[in-house]
Structure formats: C-alpha cells, structure tokens
Amino acid sequence: MVFPRPGHSPTLVSRRDALRTVALTLGAATVPTLFSAARLGAEEAKPTPAATPAAAPPTLKTISLGEGLSLITGAGGNVAVLTGQDGTLVVDCGVPASIVGLQAEIAKLAPAAISTLLNTHWHFDHTGGNEAFARTGARIVAHENCRQRLSTDQFIEFFEMKLPASPRTAWPTTTFTNDLVLHANGERLHLTTVPPAHTDGDVIVHLTKANVLHLGDLFFHTNYPFIDYSSGGWIGGMAAAAKTALALCDAKTRIIPGHGPLATRDDLAGYLAFLETMSERLTKLKTQGKSVAEAVAALPTKDFDEKLGKGFLTPDKFVQCTYAGLLKHS
C-alpha cells in the first residue's frame, strides 16, 4: 500500500490487496523488507516507475549451510529450509509477492510439499506465505501471540498502517508460550520464547546439531532495527533477547538475522553492545523528560550512523521509533 501521511486517517483495506500493493510499491527486491517504503517516513512513500503489475519478481538466492539446511534470501525476511526424510521444514516465508518464487526455490531443494512452517513473529514479511503453504498441507507453528495478531486486525503505529486479520488458513495451528522442542530430519530445533522485544511474540529458532540460530527480527544485521512498539516491542527487550541468543552461541555458530547477511557470534555481540548503548542513552533522555523531537536532536546514534544508518531506517527515524516505544513502555 502507499503509506498514509502522518496525521491523515489510515485506511483499512484487505490484507491481500495491501500486501500486493506494498510489493508493487517496493518494486524490485533490492529493498530488504516490507517497511522499506518508510525510508524517509511513511509520508514519503510513493509508487516508482517499476511499481507496475509487470514489475520483476524478487530475486532469490539459496545458500547451502550443509546437512540438508539452506538459507534463502530476497523473499522479504530471511528464510531457512531444512530438508530430509521427515519432510521439509521452513522457518519464515517472506512477503506474498515472493511466494511463487520461494516455492520454486524450495522445490529445488526438495520436491515434496512443506510439512512444517515456523513463524519467528507475525509481521507479513515473515508470514506472507502462511496461507499458500498451509493450503498445501503445512502445519504452522508459532508463538501464541503470533497467532493472536494474525487472527485479529492490527495497527502499526509508527507507519500509520492498518492491517486486517489474515485468512483463517494462515493462522498458526500449533502455538506455545514457553520453550518448545521439535525433532525433524535428524535435527533438534529448540524454539526459545523471549519477553517482548521486536514484538510480543518473538521466537529464537536454534538448530542445535547444525549450530545455527534463526533470530527473525530480533536481529537486523548491518541496519538499524525496526522495533514495533505497537506490538509490545521495546529496546530493552531487544537487548535482553540478543543477550539470550548470544548465550546460545559459540565461536562456530552461524546466525541468520531477520534481515541482512549471515552473521557470526562476534556480529551478534557487537549488535548487543549497540542495543545496550542505545538503551542506556535513550533511557537517560527519558529520565530527563525529553520529547521525541528533543531526543532526535540530541543525536544519540551519531557514532553508529556510518555503520548502521544506510538501511531502510535513517538515524532520525530509528530514534523517533525507538524512543517513542521507550516512552510507551511501562
């Protein structure tokens, strides 16, 4: 969809139409997530010349991680695929615009239909294929709060975006609120829940045999993270979740972020240090009674901007969003 200008009344449209229009607005897949149209804020999102029904589909890339495990990039959020005799298990499933290409890419790894789909959280750049995969027999597993948000109308305040409930077929059918362990294709998958961080339904997926973590949007690698305070997210929770994930790692752990390239334990440690620093700085501004505008003017991210400020959230937008979330957090 074209994001409404701040101060204008948002419009509730069908999820299918909204996601189709978002995909067209974003054009080619050089943009990493559905929120990329908010690079300079929702007020500046406009269709581009490429935003036509004939626009090229996302370009997907498959990277082998060994032992039947692969990473697919370019579908929206990063997708992990585990194949073997127990069937194909997938972690996250991109935006709806990528689903045909994603299904084709997964079919190259294993021709059988997907048996299990894990959602790391509810955002539609990670759950956009839920309905399509469910219709071919996939069991969808997620945090109970992920199902709750997919099954009800949602509002992402920072982008002034209303999203209606997903079709029932897209709702997770197996949910949990405490840690869960799955066994598939010789792999032990430990699904770790965390207190509200990016949203209130985030899950860390630890493939223990492969020594791989899929962190969903608890980890934005090389960019400033979007923290969805409308869904209960806040920066203190992000830092706590990163610390939990770091404790699961050793020097050889490979880490799949929600967005960005494959990462290492050192990358995650650096990300945790950034989150802790920003939490401390923004909390100090909150204690001083600073407004959002005053927090932005204080330039709390200036020593991180060169490394992280060239992604879909500019430094100012990151501070606006993250500080607003901190102010709302009790």
Side-chain angles (χ1 to χ4, degrees):
M1 76 185 72
V2 178
F3 295 92
R5 297 174 182 272
H8 288 213
S9 297
T11 301
L12 183 66
V13 296
S14 77
R15 178 177 288 261
R16 186 181 301 277
D17 288 345
L19 304 189
R20 182 184 299 114
T21 307
V22 165
L24 296 177
T25 299
L26 297 185
T30 55
V31 189
T33 98
L34 71 99
F35 299 116
S36 300
R39 172 181 291 274
L40 298 178
E43 68 273 16
E44 296 186 12
K46 297 178 181 179
T48 67
T52 68
T59 300
L60 307 184
K61 179 180 179 181
T62 297
I63 302 166
S64 175
L65 302 180
E67 298 291 329
L69 181 62
S70 300
L71 165 64
I72 300 178
T73 64
N78 285 328
V79 176
V81 181
L82 178 66
T83 61
Q85 63 181 6
D86 297 326
T88 300
L89 181 147
V90 175
V91 183
D92 285 345
C93 52
V95 295
S98 71
I99 188 59
V100 173
L102 182 59
Q103 287 175 317
E105 202 70 14
I106 294 172
K108 296 177 185 177
L109 301 172
I114 293 168
S115 57
T116 304
L117 171 63
L118 309 182
N119 293 154
T120 60
H121 64 292
W122 77 272
H123 286 153
F124 62 76
D125 54 333
H126 297 261
T127 61
N130 275 23
E131 183 179 11
F133 287 141
R135 290 190 182 281
T136 60
R139 173 181 61 140
I140 304 176
V141 180
H143 193 291
E144 174 66 25
N145 288 348
C146 178
R147 175 185 166 93
Q148 176 64 24
R149 292 195 177 277
L150 287 174
S151 62
T152 57
D153 296 348
Q154 296 298 310
F155 179 57
I156 300 177
E157 182 177 333
F158 185 67
F159 296 120
E160 298 185 342
M161 178 193 292
K162 281 188 174 182
L163 288 172
S166 296
R168 176 177 287 273
T169 312
W171 303 353
T173 53
T174 299
T175 62
F176 55 98
T177 54
N178 296 312
D179 292 8
L180 179 69
V181 174
L182 300 178
H183 295 271
N185 301 325
E187 182 61 80
R188 179 180 184 272
L189 297 97
H190 187 182
L191 312 184
T192 301
T193 60
V194 295
H198 174 65
T199 69
D200 60 4
D202 302 301
V203 175
I204 295 170
V205 180
H206 186 194
L207 295 96
T208 56
K209 179 182 176 182
N211 196 12
V212 169
L213 293 182
H214 193 313
L215 297 186
D217 282 357
L218 295 172
F219 187 14
F220 282 66
H221 186 28
T222 73
N223 292 316
Y224 281 126
F226 167 63
I227 304 175
D228 186 4
Y229 57 84
S230 300
S231 297
W234 73 297
I235 191 166
M238 287 285 280
K243 185 176 294 186
T244 296
L246 194 63
L248 300 174
C249 296
D250 60 32
K252 296 182 179 180
T253 304
R254 291 169 293 177
I255 303 169
I256 300 173
H259 303 279
L262 197 66
T264 65
R265 186 186 191 280
D266 286 345
D267 294 326
L268 182 59
Y271 180 69
L272 171 59
F274 153 72
L275 290 171
E276 290 179 328
T277 298
M278 290 310 307
S279 181
E280 179 181 350
R281 291 177 184 177
L282 295 179
T283 298
K284 183 177 180 179
L285 292 170
K286 179 181 178 181
T287 300
Q288 294 171 348
K290 301 297 185 182
S291 67
V292 173
E294 288 170 331
V296 172
L299 303 177
T301 65
K302 60 184 178 181
D303 47 333
F304 296 104
D305 290 348
E306 179 62 28
K307 181 178 181 180
L308 302 176
K310 300 173 184 177
F312 80 102
L313 280 182
T314 63
D316 285 0
K317 293 301 177 184
F318 168 72
V319 175
Q320 285 179 13
C321 181
T322 306
Y323 191 65
L326 183 61
L327 292 178
K328 288 179 179 292
H329 183 77
S330 59

